[in-house]
Amino acid sequence: MNGKWDSEAKGSWTAISRTPWLKSVSLYAKGDCWHGGGLFLDEKEFWLNDGRGHEQLMDSSEIKRNESYKPSKQYGGECLHVYYNRLQRDGWVLKSMNEKGKWHSETVFEKSLPKKWVLVKICHQQVFQPKGKGCYWDEHELRNEDNETFSRSNWEWADLVDDSIVYADTGCLYKITIMSSMKLSEPILLHDFNEYKFENIQAPY
């Protein structure tokens, strides 16, 4: 969204681009902040979270919209409808949805890891959220074979990647190797992104 409501893109839009570029190859004007976004169903098809309607401005032969697909689960029409369906698409299992107080709820997902470990993703939906967090923010836990739980509240994102745990913490990406059903390796820094600055580089297409 850029709020230029009189523009061709109507001030807000859903776009598909070739990473890492922002220039779109498919563009759908929206004109408001209801619904929007979507999911890739495979390398060639995507679902558009259409809701109140988009207007197609650009199309690409590289990828096709699947207009018959509907996510199996419903979580309203906004960000969580896309996010929670994406988590389940990627192997996360919904375990619970809990009210934590006024304007604060959490949804808990789990993913089974090698050697009987479990990664828990706690997704918060919160007004008056902690400093440095958005209205949607995640934290994590690890659980071993003996059902011991280890809080990882500082992990902003985590998932299973090539049989290892990869997670993001304070602008850095780390990797943990699962050694046994009771033991994990020390974290290995994969990359520190803290010094990165936005560069306005022309897309090559």
Side-chain angles (χ1 to χ4, degrees):
M1 186 190 82
N2 63 9
K4 297 179 180 179
W5 306 114
D6 294 330
S7 68
E8 186 181 15
K10 297 184 177 180
S12 64
W13 59 89
T14 296
I16 298 175
S17 306
R18 299 177 193 159
T19 55
W21 314 101
L22 297 179
K23 182 180 178 182
S24 59
V25 295
S26 291
L27 180 62
Y28 295 83
K30 190 69 176 71
D32 58 44
C33 295
W34 301 106
H35 300 83
L39 293 175
F40 289 101
L41 305 178
D42 55 35
E43 292 184 356
K44 293 295 183 180
E45 287 193 332
F46 68 94
W47 161 68
L48 180 65
N49 185 28
D50 199 24
R52 294 170 180 253
H54 287 77
E55 178 186 341
Q56 184 172 331
L57 298 181
M58 294 176 58
D59 194 14
S60 171
S61 60
E62 299 174 61
I63 192 164
K64 179 182 178 182
R65 177 183 175 186
N66 185 326
E67 297 191 46
S68 64
Y69 175 83
K70 294 189 182 303
S72 58
K73 306 291 185 180
Q74 294 294 318
Y75 305 99
E78 308 308 322
C79 307
L80 300 180
H81 186 48
V82 175
Y83 183 41
Y84 291 170
N85 276 294
R86 178 168 68 85
L87 289 176
Q88 290 171 92
R89 179 202 67 181
D90 294 343
W92 291 88
V93 177
L94 175 64
K95 303 302 289 187
S96 66
M97 303 182 79
N98 311 303
E99 293 297 326
K100 304 296 288 183
K102 187 177 181 181
W103 297 321
H104 183 197
S105 60
E106 66 178 30
T107 304
V108 180
F109 294 88
E110 292 185 358
K111 179 176 279 193
S112 296
L113 306 180
K115 299 180 174 63
K116 299 184 179 180
W117 284 85
V118 174
L119 179 59
V120 181
K121 187 182 293 286
I122 304 166
C123 304
H124 294 268
Q125 308 95 55
Q126 188 175 10
V127 179
F128 308 119
Q129 62 272 19
K131 184 177 180 180
K133 305 291 186 184
C135 60
Y136 305 126
W137 59 280
D138 296 351
E139 58 181 329
H140 297 81
E141 294 176 349
L142 286 168
R143 193 167 66 241
N144 66 14
E145 183 181 20
D146 286 350
N147 214 32
E148 295 177 297
T149 299
F150 305 90
S151 174
R152 295 294 183 266
S153 59
N154 56 315
W155 291 8
E156 297 174 330
W157 171 88
D159 212 330
L160 178 67
V161 179
D162 297 331
D163 290 333
S164 297
I165 302 165
V166 176
Y167 68 91
D169 180 8
T170 57
C172 296
L173 196 64
Y174 295 91
K175 173 183 175 180
I176 290 176
T177 301
I178 302 171
M179 310 292 288
S180 71
S181 62
M182 300 295 291
K183 184 178 180 181
L184 301 173
S185 74
E186 291 297 315
I188 296 173
L189 176 65
L190 296 178
H191 201 82
D192 184 343
F193 293 91
N194 282 289
E195 297 302 317
Y196 277 48
K197 304 291 184 183
F198 175 77
E199 292 183 66
N200 190 7
I201 300 175
Q202 187 73 29
Y205 60 88

